[in-house]
Amino acid sequence: MSVTTHCPYCSLQCGMKVAPKGRVGIEISAWEEFPVNEGAMCRKGWTSGELRGSRERLTTPAIRDRATGELRAASWDEALDVIADKIRTLQADHGKDAVSIFGGGGLTNEKAYQLGKFARVALGTSQIDYNGRWCMSSAASAGNQAFGVDRGLPFPLADIEQTDVVVLVGSNMAETMPPAARHLDRLRERGGKVVVIDPRFTSTAERADLFLQPVPGTDLALALGALHLLDAQGAIDEEYVAARTTGFDEVRRSVSAWWPERVERTTGVATSELRALVDLLAGAGRVMILTARGAEQHAQGTATVLSWINIALALGMPGKEYAGYGCLTGQGNGQGGREHGQKADQLPGYRMIDDPAARAHVAAVWGVEPESLPGKGKSAYELLDSLGDGGGPKAMLVFGSNIVVSAPKATHITQRLESLDLLVVCDIVMSETAALADVVLPITQWAEESGTMTNLEGRVILRNKAIAPPTGVKSDLDVIAGLAERLDSPVEFSVDPEEIFAELGRATVGAKADYSGITYERITAEKGVFWPCPAVAEGEPVHPGTPRMFTDAFATPNGRARFLAQEFVGAAEQPDASYPIHLTTGRVLAQYQSGAQTRRIRSLTDEGAFVEMHPMLADRIGAHDGEPVIVRTRRGEMKAPARVVTTIRPDTVFIPFHWVGANRLTNDALDPSSRMPEFKVCAAEVLV
């Protein structure tokens, strides 16, 4: 008997059916009725069941003997006792903040909620953040500033098909979320236009009517120049700007100096190409601008997104049907994971932890005093940088993240992890981070548990348990509850996902991300429910959810969107004589994030890391396709085969980040607002 559920990977959360197969296996089949993917899946989705029964699957807790450095098998009780005893000792000696938590954007809403509650109530620590800080945080920061709320897409994904022009800034949709690319094809079939902006000519760019190839780190300057020309052409929707926004006059002045020739010198995009973009935007009745990591993972990521939002607002698009701005969220629960308390400054429902009213409401739901809740902690990179020898927490509990592969300046961060008195990792396989841990806990994977996720549209969906986990494996919820009990938490922690979701709903009543009107029953019946969806009084019709936002007002105090002027500074690290090449990083079709799961699935191509470069660069340094080259930055170096292609800029190299290596090179410069590291550009040397 098959069960309807969702893919364990990206933010599409494609619907699928899962059924037991043989003694331990599972079979994946299409769920054609689910509207997001209509039965389509990429190869990662179709092969996602192959970790079931894998020899690499963890099924027994392990404790490291510090004297020998070896891990030994242990019972669950022993492992949890060791963790709890060490936490008590460290907090007694160094204070509550001696213990930290690092979560993940792939965790269910229930797990994200419980982690935040566990940190603040059972541990009393402020030191919690998660890897989603490295994914969508710049777009989230920009959305909150401009619109008063952050929901990646404020409209259903299928709206792409009905717009006139869609602009993809730093997105390789065709490889990172292949089922979504069909919307681009359908848009073009009905006469719409696709614009792709990327330093590489990708599979997505093959679908483009207009392709712009800027220098990495200059998307902000490109947006400033585009708005300058739109204003010069009289393409601003003055009526919309006057009625629904504030701040345009300052933005208009700020872009006045970004004439096309200056944009070309800065970005490398020809004046004719910039004018072609502007002509498309000015002539379209409906425009949709979508950003992704290529535009966001920068020290000026928030400013970049705000500048593209300024264009959308100037054209009068946000709140208009089949138009507006959106962020293509990356991780499976990248949206929900940033709403319910994993972030250092946040409480459930997108409430802020320094807001007295928010603290009072959530504390009442949790059954504790508001004064007992800690304040803001450090952001993800700053937290990791402070660990152990860095003078910060002495212990870290890691849920759903492979830090050793995914952190910027990774060699340095790995050393910080190694200096901890206690590192606990919950994972399904022995990831590179788990291999460093003092205690490793084997946990359930997606098909073995139930829980909700919130996809890139803000659609809350339900992953249903399809099969029992292997003997010896428990859920992250069991880990949280078991530790809370051993640490004499003032409140109990449920392990029932539906019960936890109901509590999450109560905690989000009246918040920006209000889930209080959503239930497991409604999600099942409606194939997902869009937030905000507040509960209503008994006897009243249920709230239908909010597929499309901003139709009448924005989520700001005065209901108007905010134009915010931005200044282009450029990448934190510019090429020079020693490091003359731009390095950028990203994903490839067959792999996902740190690769902890996908690299272990035999059906998926795993050729390892490579260095993509233009023939002009290869000729200059004497490199040959398939032969090893060395890429060196101020933080480290790696060796990988060259992949010589004509589809990348001659001044740029690209390395995928699914393997150890790429993030040993990346820059830890942080966006001042989102605290996003600058993954997407740094200065490098390439040699044979």
Side-chain angles (χ1 to χ4, degrees):
M1 181 69 180
S2 64
V3 172
T4 56
T5 188
H6 296 271
C7 178
Y9 297 119
C10 84
S11 64
L12 285 181
Q13 285 301 285
C14 291
M16 59 168 57
K17 294 180 180 179
V18 177
K21 181 181 180 181
R23 188 172 61 86
V24 296
I26 56 178
E27 184 174 47
I28 308 295
S29 60
W31 180 15
E32 296 177 353
E33 297 77 16
F34 186 67
V36 174
N37 62 306
E38 300 171 328
M41 284 183 282
C42 73
R43 66 182 70 173
K44 293 187 290 292
W46 287 114
T47 60
S48 56
E50 292 188 20
L51 275 181
R52 280 283 303 187
S54 167
R55 290 179 296 178
E56 296 201 55
R57 184 73 189 275
L58 300 177
T59 57
T60 304
I63 298 173
R64 188 175 305 280
D65 183 334
R66 286 252 172 159
T68 64
E70 298 295 320
L71 286 168
R72 63 170 179 82
S75 69
W76 271 97
D77 281 339
E78 182 187 9
L80 293 177
D81 286 345
V82 165
I83 297 167
D85 288 346
K86 191 66 173 180
I87 287 173
R88 270 193 294 267
T89 299
L90 290 172
Q91 289 191 321
D93 292 344
H94 303 285
K96 295 293 187 181
D97 281 356
V99 179
S100 60
I101 290 179
F102 200 86
L107 300 177
T108 63
N109 289 318
E110 293 79 2
K111 292 179 181 181
Y113 174 82
Q114 290 292 74
L115 268 188
K117 179 180 176 182
F118 175 72
R120 280 118 188 174
V121 175
L123 293 176
T125 182
S126 66
Q127 300 303 300
I128 175 172
D129 213 80
Y130 80 128
N131 63 18
R133 178 78 68 171
W134 300 337
C135 203
M136 296 74 55
S137 62
S138 291
S141 175
N144 280 318
Q145 292 180 53
F147 305 131
V149 68
D150 156 42
R151 199 180 88 183
L153 291 183
F155 40 73
L157 185 67
D159 279 9
I160 291 173
E161 300 174 17
Q162 302 301 321
T163 197
D164 295 323
V165 175
V166 63
V167 181
L168 297 171
V169 190
S171 167
N172 186 10
M173 179 189 287
E175 290 194 56
T176 58
M177 46 181 67
R182 74 189 191 282
H183 298 302
L184 303 180
D185 298 334
R186 292 173 182 172
L187 167 65
R188 297 185 74 200
E189 287 169 4
R190 53 168 294 277
K193 303 297 183 183
V194 175
V195 179
V196 173
I197 301 171
D198 197 308
R200 304 165 63 226
F201 187 86
T202 62
S203 299
T204 307
E206 292 174 1
R207 290 171 158 88
D209 298 281
L210 177 64
F211 172 63
L212 306 183
Q213 195 168 26
V215 172
T218 64
D219 294 326
L220 169 52
L222 189 64
L224 298 176
L227 186 52
H228 169 96
L229 280 181
L230 286 166
D231 191 23
Q233 290 187 14
I236 306 302
D237 187 335
E238 301 286 358
E239 184 178 345
Y240 176 99
V241 168
R244 300 208 58 188
T245 73
T246 63
F248 181 61
D249 287 344
E250 183 182 355
V251 168
R252 174 175 265 158
R253 286 191 297 271
S254 72
V255 302
S256 62
W258 282 93
W259 54 91
E261 292 76 15
R262 181 183 180 192
V263 175
E264 181 171 348
R265 288 199 303 270
T266 303
T267 68
V269 173
T271 296
S272 60
E273 294 174 338
L274 177 61
R275 291 188 184 278
L277 168 64
V278 169
D279 288 344
L280 280 176
L281 297 178
R286 294 168 296 194
V287 173
M288 189 177 288
I289 297 174
L290 305 176
T291 64
R293 307 304 81 73
E296 299 159 13
Q297 287 181 321
H298 294 274
Q300 278 201 290
T302 302
T304 299
V305 174
L306 283 168
S307 294
W308 287 98
I309 288 175
N310 285 343
I311 292 176
L313 290 171
L315 294 170
M317 297 299 159
K320 187 175 185 177
E321 191 174 29
Y322 307 131
Y325 164 78
C327 160
L328 294 169
T329 299
Q331 295 191 79
N333 201 28
Q335 183 67 56
R338 67 183 187 259
E339 296 168 358
H340 298 305
Q342 283 189 100
K343 289 177 72 175
D345 56 355
Q346 201 181 82
L347 290 170
Y350 236 124
R351 289 184 157 101
M352 304 313 294
I353 202 164
D354 56 359
D355 177 0
R359 294 170 66 88
H361 176 86
V362 174
V365 173
W366 288 349
V368 298
E369 293 299 319
E371 298 77 20
S372 69
L373 301 178
K376 286 185 180 181
K378 299 181 181 72
S379 73
Y381 182 80
E382 291 163 304
L383 172 58
L384 295 171
D385 187 38
S386 74
L387 295 177
D389 292 345
K394 307 294 183 184
M396 174 167 274
L397 283 61
V398 179
F399 296 80
S401 189
N402 189 8
I403 299 167
V404 169
V405 177
S406 60
K409 200 177 178 181
T411 300
H412 168 71
I413 294 302
T414 299
Q415 292 167 350
R416 287 283 192 251
L417 292 170
E418 291 171 336
S419 72
L420 287 168
D421 291 348
L422 175 67
L423 175 62
V424 179
V425 175
C426 302
D427 213 328
I428 63 175
V429 295
M430 188 62 75
S431 69
E432 288 81 358
T433 307
L436 300 180
D438 296 291
V439 183
V440 181
L441 300 177
I443 51 93
T444 48
Q445 63 167 319
W446 103 107
E448 301 161 356
E449 59 186 3
S450 294
T452 61
M453 309 284 279
T454 306
N455 82 344
L456 78 170
E457 311 165 296
R459 186 193 305 256
V460 185
I461 54 93
L462 178 61
R463 285 183 177 175
N464 287 301
K465 181 177 179 178
I467 195 167
T471 301
V473 172
K474 293 183 181 291
S475 167
D476 294 303
L477 297 176
D478 294 312
V479 174
I480 293 167
L483 289 175
E485 181 181 8
R486 286 166 171 81
L487 294 168
D488 300 319
S489 169
V491 299
E492 291 187 6
F493 282 75
S494 174
V495 297
D496 179 81
E498 189 168 7
E499 186 176 294
I500 295 167
F501 188 76
E503 183 183 305
L504 180 157
R506 295 192 296 275
T508 64
V509 169
K512 290 180 180 180
D514 190 334
Y515 281 41
S516 60
I518 306 176
T519 63
Y520 276 28
E521 184 179 7
R522 279 196 65 183
I523 296 170
T524 301
E526 300 172 32
K527 297 182 178 65
V529 180
F530 291 86
W531 71 260
C533 183
V536 298
E538 189 174 350
E540 296 290 323
V542 298
H543 191 285
T546 313
R548 294 176 179 86
M549 305 179 80
F550 314 141
T551 54
D552 299 315
F554 294 94
T556 55
N558 63 4
R560 290 170 174 256
R562 304 182 184 107
F563 279 96
L564 295 162
Q566 305 302 317
E567 179 183 353
F568 175 72
V569 175
E573 188 175 86
Q574 296 291 333
D576 58 19
S578 299
Y579 300 94
I581 301 298
H582 298 283
L583 165 65
T584 191
T585 64
R587 286 173 52 186
V588 295
L589 177 63
Q591 298 297 323
Y592 181 71
Q593 303 300 73
S594 75
Q597 296 177 69
T598 50
R599 284 187 277 120
R600 290 171 167 84
I601 292 178
R602 293 182 180 179
S603 299
L604 295 176
T605 304
D606 182 4
E607 298 177 348
F610 56 86
V611 182
E612 187 176 280
M613 66 179 67
H614 193 276
M616 290 173 62
L617 175 59
D619 289 345
R620 190 162 76 243
I621 66 173
H624 300 282
D625 190 72
E627 296 183 2
V629 295
I630 296 170
V631 181
R632 181 179 296 149
T633 72
R634 290 177 173 85
R635 289 152 297 280
E637 68 177 50
M638 68 172 288
K639 179 184 288 188
R643 184 170 293 182
V644 181
V645 298
T646 59
T647 51
I648 192 169
R649 290 181 56 91
D651 58 2
T652 301
V653 295
F654 166 84
I655 301 176
F657 56 58
H658 310 291
W659 298 268
V660 172
N663 279 320
R664 290 177 176 172
L665 311 178
T666 49
N667 196 353
D668 59 343
L670 300 180
D671 182 294
S673 176
S674 66
R675 316 309 288 168
M676 167 75 80
E678 191 148 66
F679 287 102
K680 279 296 181 281
V681 61
C682 65
E685 178 188 20
V686 186
L687 58 157
V688 294

